[in-house]
């Protein structure tokens, strides 16, 4: 058995841009369910889940079986936007398991394999449909690292990485940004309706119902409904970025279901492929499907193995509401557990929905210390927020009750250790 962790090859050969490996100094070798194992045989409970790309866990056996059978049958791997059996089955399953039960009528676009690809396509389409340029986004938003996605992202450090001006976007205050001391949407409505405001009517608004990278900030259902009504009344398209919070992370498959709204465009990626294989979708109302053939494309938009695992995941977990109910129940349990530990320590609070939760520290340095302490005890959690002041939980939705308890126990212990012990 290997008894040392030699990372010299990564340090010598890999770019300085690498990030997660600096926080988790292990060389991982295998994974199953909610667990990762390193070369030394040590096990880590994963409350990170590929940044939300592994809602159904690592190497999910149901999805693995479908994938291996497909590969073994010489199924199409690389298909661009050609018609294939795998794509047909996925589209039929999206229609039957996701859209029809929810009364949704969307066309499906395969924009490329990442969430940023989906966001770029959505922004381009909104501008094409409306003939307008500006996109409204929100404080603390994160939508990806390509130029269009960065233009609607809030974090200053990430925006600065673009190296060029990020134009044709305007940020608005997210729900709760002013601690509820200023009326929601008051300024936004005023400038949109005032012909002398100097504010051009935008093509679209893009929003996350829960801002994951921004610090697990939650938009209330009534706030989302107000936003949707504001957009509809002014012929502004509403884009919901469900890349991280979709696929059941907040409970229902689509995170916007809690508000009873129907966005004009929805972006999906991360767990839509089921197995962690790269895949993204744009869902768009039929009247907005104004693309010319090939007007937006990408070489790897036809990842057929991901279509297979996506189909298997939708059939297994979204033919009924059992996973959604389980996520809601587990999420309530996580919320109660974290609230109890937050009450023991000054300067600590918590917030969350479904199976995404954040522990917020008034002293941002404590969040990083909690993550490091948890790692030493075999738990993977990451920080988020503008100052990395939030410990963010994204465990697989399919983990068992014992695993959930074990992870929460380590997390609570880590918080107690960093914040000075239980009061």
């Amino acid at each position: 058995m290997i008894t040392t962790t030699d990372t010299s090859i990564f340090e010598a050969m890999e770019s300085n841009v690498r990030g997660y490996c600096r926080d988790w100094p292990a060389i991982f070798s295998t994974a199953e369910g909610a667990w990762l194992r390193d070369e030394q045989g040590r096990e880590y409970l994963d409350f990170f889940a590929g940044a939300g790309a592994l809602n159904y866990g690592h190497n999910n056996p149901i999805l693995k079986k479908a994938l291996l059978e497909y590969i073994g049958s010489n199924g199409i791997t690389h298909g661009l936007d050609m018609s294939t059996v795998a794509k047909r089955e996925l589209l039929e399953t999206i229609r039957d398991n996701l859209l029809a039960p929810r009364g949704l009528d969307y066309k499906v676009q395969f924009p490329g394999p990442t969430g940023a690809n989906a966001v770029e396509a959505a922004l381009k389409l909104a501008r094409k449909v409306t003939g307008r340029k500006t996109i409204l986004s929100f404080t603390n938003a994160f939508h990806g690292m390509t130029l269009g996605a960065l233009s609607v992202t809030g974090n200053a450090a990430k925006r600065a990485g673009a190296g060029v001006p990020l134009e044709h976007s305007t940020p608005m205050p997210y729900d709760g940004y002013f601690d509820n001391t200023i009326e929601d949407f008051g300024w936004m409505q005023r400038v949109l309706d005032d012909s002398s405001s100097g504010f051009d009517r935008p093509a679209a608004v893009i929003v996350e119902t829960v801002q994951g990278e921004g610090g697990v900030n939650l938009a209330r259902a009534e706030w989302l409904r107000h936003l949707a009504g504001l957009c509809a009344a002014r012929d502004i398209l509403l884009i919901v970025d469900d890349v991280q919070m979709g696929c059941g992370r907040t409970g229902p498959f689509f995170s916007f279901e809690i508000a009873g709204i129907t966005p004009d465009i929805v972006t999906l990626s991360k767990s839509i492929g089921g197995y962690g294989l790269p895949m993204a979708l744009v869902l768009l109302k039929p009247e907005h499907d104004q693309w010319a053939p090939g007007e937006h494309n990408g070489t790897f938009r036809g990842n057929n193995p991901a279509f297979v695992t996506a189909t298997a995941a939708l059939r297994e977990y979204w033919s009924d509401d059992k996973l959604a109910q389980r996520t809601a129940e587990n999420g309530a349990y996580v919320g109660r557990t974290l609230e109890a530990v937050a009450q023991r320590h000054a300067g600590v609070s918590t917030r969350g929905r479904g199976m995404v939760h954040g522990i917020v520290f008034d002293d941002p340095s404590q969040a990083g210390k909690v993550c490091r302490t948890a790692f030493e005890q075999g738990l993977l959690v990451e920080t988020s927020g503008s100052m990395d002041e939030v410990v963010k939980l994204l465990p697989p939705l399919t983990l068992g009750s014992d695993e959930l308890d074990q992870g929460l126990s380590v997390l609570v212990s880590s918080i107690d250790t960093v914040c000075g012990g239980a009061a």
Side-chain angles (χ1 to χ4, degrees):
M1 176 181 296
I2 297 173
T3 57
T4 61
T5 301
D6 181 2
T7 61
S8 59
I9 184 64
F10 305 103
E11 295 163 3
M13 295 291 295
E14 193 176 0
S15 166
N16 288 332
V17 77
R18 64 193 188 280
Y20 290 115
C21 59
R22 300 179 189 273
D23 296 323
W24 301 326
I27 300 177
F28 299 103
S29 59
T30 62
E32 183 178 2
W35 294 90
L36 283 161
R37 295 169 188 84
D38 66 18
E39 282 190 313
Q40 299 176 359
R42 185 180 182 192
E43 295 188 330
Y44 301 82
L45 190 53
D46 187 2
F47 273 29
F48 170 68
L54 295 166
N55 282 5
Y56 313 111
H58 295 271
N59 287 303
N60 182 294
I62 296 165
L63 312 189
K64 181 195 291 186
K65 182 175 183 291
L67 178 60
L68 291 176
E69 289 178 351
Y70 184 76
I71 293 172
S73 69
N74 289 331
I76 299 293
T77 295
H78 182 273
L80 293 147
D81 65 3
M82 295 184 289
S83 299
T84 66
V85 171
K87 183 190 285 187
R88 180 179 63 202
E89 292 182 353
L90 174 59
L91 290 171
E92 290 172 345
T93 305
I94 289 172
R95 179 194 63 197
D96 297 342
N97 287 40
L98 293 186
L99 302 184
R102 293 164 176 80
L104 297 174
D105 182 18
Y106 286 126
K107 300 287 286 295
V108 180
Q109 178 183 354
F110 297 88
T114 72
N117 290 141
V119 168
E120 295 285 351
L123 300 182
K124 285 174 63 175
L125 181 62
R127 288 170 170 138
K128 178 179 176 65
V129 168
T130 64
R132 302 190 291 269
K133 295 180 180 179
T134 303
I135 306 292
L136 299 189
S137 57
F138 290 95
T139 51
N140 292 307
F142 178 79
H143 296 288
M145 299 296 281
T146 49
L147 288 182
L150 279 175
S151 74
V152 290
T153 287
N155 185 279
K158 291 182 172 63
R159 290 174 61 87
V164 297
L166 297 171
E167 301 176 326
H168 306 305
S169 64
T170 302
M172 292 288 161
Y174 193 72
D175 190 14
Y177 184 74
F178 292 112
D179 296 324
N180 300 317
T181 59
I182 295 178
E183 180 185 2
D184 286 326
F185 300 116
W187 182 82
M188 183 175 175
Q189 291 179 189
R190 179 75 177 268
V191 298
L192 284 172
D193 295 339
D194 183 356
S195 60
S196 296
S197 68
F199 192 88
D200 295 329
R201 186 165 44 147
V205 173
I206 185 167
V207 66
E208 304 155 274
T209 67
V210 178
Q211 295 179 327
E213 297 303 309
V216 192
N217 304 310
L218 312 177
R220 295 165 295 153
E222 56 266 33
W223 187 89
L224 292 168
R225 285 193 289 270
H226 193 161
L227 176 62
L230 183 153
C231 290
R234 293 160 179 81
D235 191 31
I236 301 168
L237 300 190
L238 177 61
I239 304 168
V240 168
D241 181 341
D242 240 359
V243 168
Q244 187 169 81
M245 296 304 156
C247 303
R249 174 55 57 183
T250 66
F253 185 87
F254 296 109
S255 70
F256 57 81
E257 291 182 57
I258 64 161
I261 62 175
T262 304
D264 294 285
I265 303 173
V266 182
T267 61
L268 293 168
S269 187
K270 290 190 183 285
S271 280
I272 189 61
Y275 201 72
L277 298 176
M279 175 180 162
L281 300 177
V282 178
L283 306 181
L284 52 144
K285 289 184 176 179
E287 61 267 31
H288 302 324
D289 188 21
Q290 298 180 22
W291 293 116
E295 188 174 6
H296 184 90
N297 55 37
T299 302
F300 292 100
R301 66 193 183 275
N303 184 1
N304 280 245
F307 298 168
V308 170
T309 52
T311 299
L314 294 177
R315 289 175 176 172
E316 177 66 22
Y317 295 106
W318 298 103
S319 60
D320 54 37
D321 62 356
K322 290 180 181 177
L323 182 61
Q325 291 178 357
R326 178 180 174 184
T327 298
E329 292 168 359
N330 284 342
Y333 175 64
V334 172
R336 292 192 299 270
T337 303
L338 297 181
E339 184 61 34
V341 69
Q343 290 179 358
R344 295 204 297 268
H345 302 288
V348 180
S349 59
T350 185
R351 53 188 179 235
R353 179 177 295 155
M355 287 295 276
V356 52
H357 284 262
I359 307 100
V360 188
F361 295 86
D362 289 353
D363 176 357
S365 69
Q366 291 182 326
K369 292 175 183 177
V370 167
C371 289
R372 288 190 292 274
T373 302
F375 175 76
E376 292 168 0
Q377 299 181 53
L379 177 70
L380 302 185
V381 285
E382 69 164 337
T383 60
S384 68
S386 60
M387 297 181 291
D388 285 325
E389 77 280 12
V390 179
V391 174
K392 181 173 68 172
L393 277 66
L394 289 174
L397 306 182
T398 53
L399 85 171
S401 298
D402 291 345
E403 293 168 327
L404 182 57
D405 282 336
Q406 181 175 341
L408 291 175
S409 177
V410 171
L411 185 61
V412 168
S413 172
S414 299
I415 295 170
D416 286 339
T417 297
V418 169
C419 296

